[in-house]
Amino acid sequence: MKNSTNRSFLRRLVIAGVATIITAGASPGVATADSERLISRMNTIVPAPVSVRTDPAGDFEITRQTKISTPPGSRAAADVGRYLAGVLRPSTGFPLPVTSSGNGPAIALVLGADPRVGDSGYELSVRRQGVTLRANTATGLFAGVQTLRQLLPPSVESRTRQPGPWLVSGGTIVDFPRFAHRGAMLDVSRHFFSVEEVKRYIDQIAQYKINVLHLHLADDQGWRIEIKSWPRLATFGGSTEVGGGPGGYYTQNQYRDLVSYAASRHITIVPEIDMPGHTNAALASYAELNCDGVAPPLYTGTEVGFSSLCIRSEITYRFLDDVLRELAALTPGQYLHIGSDEAHATTEPDYLYFINRVLPIVAKYGKKVSGWHDFVKATPPATALPQYWGTTNTNAQVAAAVARGNKVLLSPANKAYLDMKYNPATPLGLSWAGFIEVDTAYGWDPGNYLQNVPESAVVGVEAPLWSETLENSDHIEFMAFPRLPAYAELGWSPWATHDWAGFRNRLAAQGPRWTAQGIDFYRSTQVPWPQ
């Protein structure tokens, strides 16, 4: 949904209200403390809201007497209130009780808002007397809470008590997303990341209204999800990773915990089992999945395209039926991602045969198919969601799928891959799709990117993070930040707000927040980080 509300007002706000004020009198690439004090935090929000009206006289101070009120009878709204209290209590030291009754200064979460904000948007009003956050759903309230966090000093993000004062910038915001799907993908196969590391990433991406986490759970280097009917997939296939490390896997209970944790942050997890290629971990685990009946050794390198399931063997489809059945039972969301890219070891006829055997299995277990866009050559049903990862803005097969009724998720590798290096000196990442500095990450329009794919056919944007070179949370953060907020803005904000000069300065205001959170972000010279 592209939205024209207050476009000209917002463009003037972003260009004049942020970029000019921050850079006035400052050295290039540096925001001074004096200049920052002139700016309402209402003008530094990422992603940019649909409509902002500042009110410098309306700042609200959170004190020891402040409470968080939620509508009676709504457990989901109360959960958002408790989440907000959990963010604010450590740094403020205030009790901030969450209640559905009582008087006094409050941050009020209210169900019921302007219909135009839909199910995911919100209205936020900050006055001296209090804060009112309205939405039509708990999801909208949660999105509004992320904005509210950015209206407070950056030190509010600290996990230890800070001095304050805790002023919420005054004004009003009306906000709702441009695209329904705003995703991040994390590859836990090339290198394994623990439950706690994934939860940390979930918390980080939730701040920027990301609502989908795509987990790449199986590849040549490792199988990361317990499948009870084929236990060696995890215990043997998950026993290593790139470079020969110990690897690891999620038990089904651990995976359920991740799904539940993500849901508490209003994020849906989409699981991916790549097939028919990228399957060496499975082939090594069970010899019968190989056409010659011989299991290959585990693989710890980074090459692609050398493995394939045995396409004409019926055991392959019994295996996939079991895997997809168990995975579907663990997945509340509507999609199972079947990968389907880089199947270089599979002939074209076998590839088409394979996809058309797998599609009904996914449907049998009540799910829709998602996959890398390669699989559209098998003409899947209109309910299937191809994820475009190409490096050009044209693809005849994707355009043909759209003409048949498919929607598309955009992850162009030369624009949206978070594992691409920022520049030749970046110590992590790859560069096969090019270098992606922050301006490149921000500088494209998902609604007008692929030829013959109109905005109405685009469900959103997803930023994949492949982990060939990444081993821990610090590595994830260095490659994701500051680019991930750029993709979040492309997915959330109306195109009328799109302005690089304004964005780089709003992005700069996020730096102190990341520092307070302990996020190890890349300090791009394109962004005027505060001193």
Side-chain angles (χ1 to χ4, degrees):
M1 172 175 55
K2 190 170 183 177
N3 143 43
S4 59
T5 306
N6 291 324
R7 287 180 179 172
S8 60
F9 167 73
L10 264 182
R11 186 167 291 279
R12 291 196 304 273
L13 176 77
V14 173
I15 295 174
V18 180
T20 303
I21 294 175
I22 286 185
T23 57
S27 300
V30 175
T32 66
D34 288 341
S35 67
E36 287 181 331
R37 283 194 290 268
L38 298 175
I39 305 165
S40 167
R41 292 191 182 93
M42 284 265 176
N43 292 348
T44 61
I45 297 165
V46 177
V50 171
S51 172
V52 177
R53 293 179 182 272
T54 62
D55 178 10
D59 291 359
F60 171 73
E61 184 174 1
I62 297 175
T63 68
R64 183 165 295 278
Q65 286 70 46
T66 303
K67 64 182 182 181
I68 298 171
S69 69
T70 61
S74 174
R75 179 178 176 180
D79 286 345
V80 176
R82 285 188 284 270
Y83 168 87
L84 175 60
V87 170
L88 301 181
R89 283 170 181 158
S91 55
T92 65
F94 300 151
L96 297 168
V98 179
T99 176
S100 58
S101 62
N103 299 312
I107 300 170
L109 309 187
V110 180
L111 286 174
D114 189 321
R116 65 179 168 150
V117 306
D119 291 339
S120 300
Y122 62 92
E123 298 174 282
L124 180 61
S125 173
V126 182
R127 300 177 298 165
R128 291 177 65 86
Q129 296 82 3
V131 175
T132 302
L133 173 59
R134 295 182 178 274
N136 294 314
T137 66
T139 296
L141 290 176
F142 188 82
V145 161
Q146 307 316 313
T147 296
L148 177 60
R149 292 168 69 171
Q150 295 187 36
L151 300 182
L152 282 155
S155 57
V156 79
E157 301 294 344
S158 175
R159 296 294 86 192
T160 59
R161 189 167 181 175
Q162 302 296 310
W166 305 109
L167 291 176
V168 183
S169 294
T172 59
I173 293 172
V174 177
D175 199 16
F176 46 89
R178 180 185 184 188
F179 294 107
H181 186 123
R182 304 172 304 280
M185 190 218 80
L186 182 61
D187 172 13
V188 298
S189 181
R190 270 53 176 267
H191 280 98
F192 180 68
F193 298 98
S194 70
V195 169
E196 291 309 311
E197 287 173 317
V198 176
K199 286 182 176 180
R200 179 173 173 83
Y201 195 48
I202 288 170
D203 281 332
Q204 291 166 353
I205 66 179
Q207 296 179 83
Y208 295 98
K209 305 180 178 72
I210 296 295
N211 65 346
V212 176
L213 177 61
H214 166 182
L215 287 180
H216 185 76
L217 291 168
D219 212 300
D220 291 313
Q221 297 84 352
W223 186 286
R224 307 303 183 196
I225 178 69
E226 177 190 22
I227 301 297
K228 292 183 182 294
S229 54
W230 297 75
R232 275 176 57 85
L233 291 171
T235 58
F236 184 73
S239 65
T240 191
E241 60 189 5
V242 168
Y249 67 92
Y250 309 117
T251 67
Q252 291 196 2
N253 282 338
Q254 287 174 323
Y255 186 78
R256 287 188 188 96
D257 179 47
L258 279 176
V259 168
S260 176
Y261 190 84
S264 75
R265 271 64 176 161
H266 295 263
I267 289 173
T268 299
I269 289 184
V270 173
E272 178 189 353
I273 302 295
D274 213 341
M275 58 182 84
H278 291 276
T279 48
N280 191 80
L283 298 173
S285 301
Y286 287 96
E288 58 265 41
L289 296 179
N290 297 270
C291 289
D292 62 1
V294 178
L298 293 169
Y299 182 67
T300 60
T302 60
E303 295 300 316
V304 300
F306 61 88
S307 60
S308 177
L309 293 170
C310 191
I311 303 303
R312 303 289 172 166
S313 171
E314 283 305 307
I315 196 172
T316 293
Y317 303 100
R318 293 198 295 273
F319 161 72
L320 291 174
D321 191 287
D322 287 337
V323 169
L324 294 171
R325 170 178 52 81
E326 293 193 34
L327 199 58
L330 297 169
T331 302
Q334 60 181 323
Y335 288 105
L336 297 182
H337 199 295
I338 62 169
S340 307
D341 63 320
E342 297 177 321
H344 306 320
T346 309
T347 67
E348 184 81 355
D350 277 356
Y351 182 89
L352 298 175
Y353 174 85
F354 175 84
I355 296 297
N356 283 301
R357 287 290 303 269
V358 171
L359 292 175
I361 299 175
V362 176
K364 172 182 174 182
Y365 294 110
K367 300 300 179 182
K368 298 177 183 178
V369 168
S370 181
W372 302 107
H373 75 265
D374 312 56
F375 84 108
V376 298
K377 60 187 174 184
T379 61
T383 55
L385 180 64
Q387 183 169 1
Y388 180 71
W389 64 282
T391 57
T392 69
N393 65 350
T394 61
N395 186 286
Q397 291 180 337
V398 172
V402 167
R404 294 192 298 267
N406 294 88
K407 304 291 187 181
V408 179
L409 175 62
L410 292 181
S411 301
N414 59 328
K415 299 288 186 182
Y417 270 29
L418 286 167
D419 59 302
M420 291 299 106
K421 292 174 177 284
Y422 294 94
N423 56 54
T426 305
L428 300 169
L430 305 174
S431 59
W432 64 265
F435 301 110
I436 303 180
E437 252 291 3
V438 184
D439 60 347
T440 301
Y442 186 71
W444 60 290
D445 178 5
N448 188 32
Y449 181 73
L450 272 180
Q451 291 184 22
N452 300 312
V453 176
E455 180 167 330
S456 59
V458 176
V459 299
V461 180
E462 188 168 286
L465 183 53
W466 302 99
S467 65
E468 286 94 337
T469 68
L470 313 182
E471 299 179 4
N472 52 50
S473 286
D474 279 351
H475 292 170
I476 290 172
E477 292 160 12
F478 186 81
M479 299 305 284
F481 292 90
R483 292 180 294 193
L484 183 93
Y487 303 124
E489 179 148 315
L490 291 176
W492 179 278
S493 303
W495 187 247
T497 68
H498 192 86
D499 173 72
W500 166 244
F503 175 74
R504 65 192 286 269
N505 289 299
R506 286 184 289 111
L507 191 61
Q510 306 302 307
R513 298 182 183 279
W514 301 336
T515 298
Q517 293 173 344
I519 293 177
D520 182 22
F521 66 98
Y522 167 65
R523 286 153 176 82
S524 169
T525 57
Q526 295 184 343
V527 180
W529 308 108
Q531 289 187 333

